[in-house]
Amino acid sequence: MMCLAIGTYLSVYPFFLMLPIALLLRSVDTDETVKDKASGIEALFGFKCLGTFGFWLCMLLYLSWSLNGDWTFVEETYVWVAKFSDLTPNIGIFWYFFTEVFDRFIPYFLFVMHLHPVIYIIPIYLRLAHRPQAYACALIGIFSLFQAYPSFGDFGFFLSMLAIHPKTIMTIKNRYIYVIGLGAATCMLPVMWFLWLFPASGNANFYYNQTLVYQMFSSQIINAFVGATMKRDKDVDKYRASFLKNNEKTNVEARQ
């Protein structure tokens, strides 16, 4: 939880990884007596995780306050991201949208677009609660893609997290197409940036078009990973049921 607090201190989005990390820590406990008292113990464990996280986060904020002398750093870091006051083009979808929208609609669309990645937390939890590592990996991909100021490093971290699920990756269909498309969009982004800003032979639409291509292939990779994870779980359940059925049949025949 200390590492999660440090991540949240640096960027707000790691806070939403608390649920999968808590599930992962909870899955380490294999004590059967704990499972018999699941409801009370899990509630206590959740409060313990939340308390530990809050303690370390408060300590980090206090250190910032003591070094800065006031709380203005909150406005310049966390609130600044929420307001999205810097419209500098990046690989996200916020900047182009808010250059076109009317000023009176900005608060509403800011709320909607900040809420957008958050709404995936519960649906993916319902599907992948028993797979906390895959759950965390999916959330990392979603927030790295749909945050206000994304970067290649954020999504690169998600791609590196996929390496801990090699069997799931091998079941993804069209994975080579996704990789080629993502690589092509990644290479074309700086090209369109250069054509737009330096020789002026392009415009913002050229760059934003490649941004949409990058976002499309990235979201397809996330979607394919979640789908492949659920499909693999179903295949494992079918194999386990078939194995138990055959084992039971063998035992019956042996008794006869």
Side-chain angles (χ1 to χ4, degrees):
M1 286 300 164
M2 182 184 70
C3 296
L4 182 63
I6 294 174
T8 304
Y9 170 74
L10 297 175
S11 175
V12 179
Y13 299 102
F15 167 77
F16 298 102
L17 294 177
M18 178 177 290
L19 183 55
I21 290 177
L23 291 173
L24 183 61
L25 293 175
R26 184 68 182 85
S27 65
V28 175
D29 191 352
T30 57
D31 189 356
E32 295 297 332
T33 60
V34 173
K35 294 181 180 179
D36 295 336
K37 301 180 288 184
S39 58
I41 296 297
E42 288 182 359
L44 179 61
F45 181 78
F47 284 118
K48 186 185 297 184
C49 291
L50 189 61
T52 305
F53 168 81
F55 169 77
W56 285 109
L57 183 60
C58 290
M59 287 294 296
L60 292 170
L61 292 175
Y62 173 76
L63 288 175
S64 296
W65 172 81
S66 61
L67 292 173
N68 198 49
D70 53 33
W71 294 99
T72 55
F73 71 93
V74 175
E75 174 72 23
E76 300 299 329
T77 52
Y78 311 118
V79 178
W80 176 78
V81 174
K83 289 182 177 180
F84 196 74
S85 55
D86 184 5
L87 297 178
T88 301
N90 52 55
I91 61 173
I93 58 177
F94 276 57
W95 67 272
Y96 191 87
F97 183 84
F98 285 104
T99 57
E100 302 292 336
V101 72
F102 292 110
D103 291 343
R104 63 179 180 273
F105 296 127
I106 287 179
Y108 169 75
F109 284 107
L110 272 177
F111 173 77
V112 170
M113 297 187 75
H114 281 304
L115 182 66
H116 171 228
V118 179
I119 63 177
Y120 295 105
I121 295 177
I122 299 302
I124 298 179
Y125 166 78
L126 297 176
R127 285 290 190 175
L128 300 180
H130 61 289
R131 297 280 301 277
Q133 288 182 333
Y135 181 29
C137 188
L139 290 184
I140 289 172
I142 290 171
F143 281 99
S144 67
L145 193 62
F146 297 117
Q147 60 178 295
Y149 297 99
S151 66
F152 287 121
D154 296 326
F155 196 75
F157 180 63
F158 162 72
L159 294 178
S160 65
M161 288 287 290
L162 292 181
I164 64 178
H165 306 281
K167 294 182 179 179
T168 301
I169 294 175
M170 296 307 296
T171 61
I172 296 177
K173 297 180 180 179
N174 303 322
R175 55 185 178 274
Y176 298 112
I177 296 177
Y178 298 148
V179 172
I180 293 173
L182 182 63
T186 304
C187 293
M188 290 301 296
L189 276 169
V191 174
M192 294 302 172
W193 174 280
F194 176 81
L195 292 177
W196 171 28
L197 296 180
F198 294 98
S201 57
N203 55 46
N205 294 325
F206 286 46
Y207 179 75
Y208 188 65
N209 176 64
Q210 292 304 317
T211 300
L212 293 179
V213 174
Y214 172 83
Q215 294 268 335
M216 180 187 69
F217 279 104
S218 300
S219 60
Q220 285 295 321
I221 291 174
I222 299 171
N223 182 58
F225 169 73
V226 175
T229 301
M230 293 189 295
K231 183 178 182 300
R232 183 169 177 268
D233 289 342
K234 291 180 180 179
D235 293 340
V236 170
D237 291 338
K238 289 181 181 179
Y239 174 78
R240 184 182 293 115
S242 177
F243 176 80
L244 293 175
K245 183 177 180 180
N246 292 334
N247 191 28
E248 182 180 355
K249 183 178 180 181
T250 303
N251 292 336
V252 171
E253 292 177 352
R255 292 173 184 174
Q256 293 177 351

